[in-house]
C-alpha cells in the first residue's frame, strides 16, 4: 500500500528509493490477510483471484468510479483503487493491530508520527496512497510541510504528486518517456500496481502482489492519457 521507490533508483535520493519496500509484519503471510481490505470473502472481491476463477468483471464501486477531473486525477484514483480500497484518504493498513486514535484525515503529521513511534512491530501504511513511515518523513521534508499540518486529502494528494513526478510523470506527459516505462515506474512506487510482467514489482515479498490486472491497468492508462 503503499503504499515508495525501491531497488532501481528513479531519482538520486537514496532514502526515498529505500523506502519503497512495504513495512510488513512477520505475521502477514499471505495477501488475504492484508491486501483485500479486510474482506473475509477475499477471493470474490479480489480482481486477480476473480479473474483466475472465471467469475467475470468486478462490479464493486471502486471499479465503476475512477474519479477525477483530469487525467492525473483519474490516475490517482486508479492508484487509490489498487492501494487503499473504499476507505480512501482514511485508509490504514489492515494489518495494523493498533489503529490510529482518530481518522487519518483528522490527524496532524506529528500525531501520525507519534502513532507510528508508539506502535512498533506492525505495518503503518496510511492514507489514500498508503504511505509508509520512511516515505512520509521524506515527503514532509520535500513538501516543506510543518508537522502541525493536518493529513488532509489535499496534503495526501500533494505527497502523491511528488511521487508521481519521481516516477516520470512530467517526462511521460511531454512524450519523453513511454507509457510502458512510466507504468512500470509507478509499479515500483505502489506495490498494488502490476508491472508489464503482470506481477507486482514486489511480488512474493511478504505476500505482496498486484491488486489489479495489467490489461486493466493498461486500458485505464490509455483511457486517461489517450491511446
Amino acid at each position: 500500500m503503499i503504499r515508495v521507490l525501491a531497488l532501481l533508483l528513479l531519482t538520486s535520493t537514496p532514502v526515498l528509493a529505500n523506502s519503497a519496500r512495504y513495512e510488513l509484519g512477520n505475521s502477514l503471510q499471505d495477501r488475504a490477510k492484508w491486501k483485500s481490505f479486510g474482506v473475509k470473502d477475499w477471493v470474490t472481491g479480489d480482481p486477480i483471484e476473480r479473474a483466475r476463477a472465471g467469475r467475470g468483471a468486478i462490479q464493486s464501486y471502486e471499479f465503476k468510479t475512477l474519479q477525477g477531473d483530469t487525467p492525473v486525477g483519474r490516475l490517482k484514483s486508479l492508484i487509490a483503487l489498487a492501494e487503499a480500497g473504499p476507505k480512501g484518504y482514511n485508509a490504514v493498513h489492515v494489518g495494523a493491530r493498533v489503529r490510529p486514535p482518530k481518522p487519518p484525515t483528522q490527524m496532524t503529521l506529528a500525531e501520525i508520527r507519534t502513532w507510528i513511534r508508539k506502535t512498533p512491530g506492525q505495518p503503518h501504511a496510511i492514507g489514500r496512497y498508503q504511505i509508509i513511515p520512511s516515505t512520509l518523513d521524506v515527503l514532509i521534508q520535500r513538501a516543506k510541510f510543518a508537522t502541525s499540518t493536518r493529513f488532509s486529502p489535499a496534503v495526501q494528494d500533494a505527497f502523491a504528486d511528488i511521487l508521481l513526478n519521481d516516477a516520470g510523470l512530467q517526462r511521460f506527459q511531454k512524450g519523453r518517456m513511454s507509457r510502458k516505462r512510466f507504468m512500470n515506474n509507478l509499479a515500483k512506487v505502489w506495490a498494488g500496481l502490476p508491472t508489464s510482467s503482470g506481477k507486482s514489482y514486489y511480488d512474493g515479498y511478504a505476500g505482496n502482489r498486484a491488486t489489479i490486472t495489467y490489461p486493466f491497468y493498461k486500458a485505464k492508462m490509455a483511457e486517461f492519457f489517450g491511446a
Side-chain angles (χ1 to χ4, degrees):
M1 290 183 197
I2 144 180
R3 270 108 218 114
V4 232
L5 289 181
L7 303 184
L8 298 178
L9 297 179
L10 301 182
T11 72
S12 59
T13 310
V15 175
L16 184 59
N18 290 336
S19 71
R21 293 180 180 276
Y22 273 101
E23 184 187 75
L24 297 172
N26 292 332
S27 64
L28 303 179
Q29 296 299 316
D30 59 28
R31 188 184 177 292
K33 294 179 182 177
W34 68 278
K35 198 57 180 175
S36 290
F37 318 122
V39 178
K40 290 183 179 179
D41 187 10
W42 69 282
V43 172
T44 298
D46 182 290
I48 301 293
E49 296 302 325
R50 182 139 177 170
R52 286 175 177 166
R55 300 187 184 188
I58 298 294
Q59 296 299 316
S60 64
Y61 86 94
E62 297 96 337
F63 276 75
K64 291 180 179 178
T65 57
L66 290 179
Q67 299 174 347
D69 296 331
T70 65
V72 174
R74 289 188 284 276
L75 172 57
K76 289 178 184 176
S77 183
L78 178 65
I79 292 167
L81 162 66
E83 292 293 322
K87 292 188 178 179
Y89 292 104
N90 281 315
V92 177
H93 195 299
V94 299
R97 297 180 300 278
V98 181
R99 313 285 287 182
K102 51 188 174 181
T105 56
Q106 295 179 21
M107 299 175 71
T108 66
L109 298 173
E111 288 173 330
I112 291 173
R113 280 175 157 175
T114 298
W115 167 66
I116 291 168
R117 186 177 67 253
K118 291 185 176 181
T119 57
Q122 68 170 19
H124 295 101
I126 194 167
R128 192 184 196 215
Y129 307 103
Q130 289 294 275
I131 298 171
I132 61 172
S134 53
T135 301
L136 180 65
D137 289 342
V138 172
L139 291 174
I140 290 172
Q141 293 176 12
R142 292 179 66 185
K144 298 181 180 180
F145 285 136
T147 56
S148 59
T149 302
R150 187 167 56 86
F151 194 54
S152 65
V155 167
Q156 294 183 42
D157 283 340
F159 287 158
D161 287 335
I162 292 174
L163 295 174
L164 287 172
N165 284 323
D166 285 345
L169 174 62
Q170 292 183 3
R171 284 175 287 161
F172 167 64
Q173 289 180 310
K174 293 177 181 179
R176 297 175 183 172
M177 178 182 288
S178 70
R179 178 180 289 123
K180 180 179 179 180
R181 182 178 176 188
F182 179 53
M183 289 170 64
N184 281 332
N185 283 352
L186 291 174
K188 294 172 186 175
V189 179
W190 285 285
L193 297 174
T195 65
S196 52
S197 71
K199 295 183 178 181
S200 169
Y201 187 72
Y202 306 97
D203 188 74
Y205 179 75
N208 213 348
R209 66 196 288 186
T211 61
I212 60 175
T213 65
Y214 188 74
F216 177 81
Y217 181 26
K218 185 177 180 180
K220 287 301 177 184
M221 290 293 285
E223 177 185 321
F224 301 158
F225 295 99

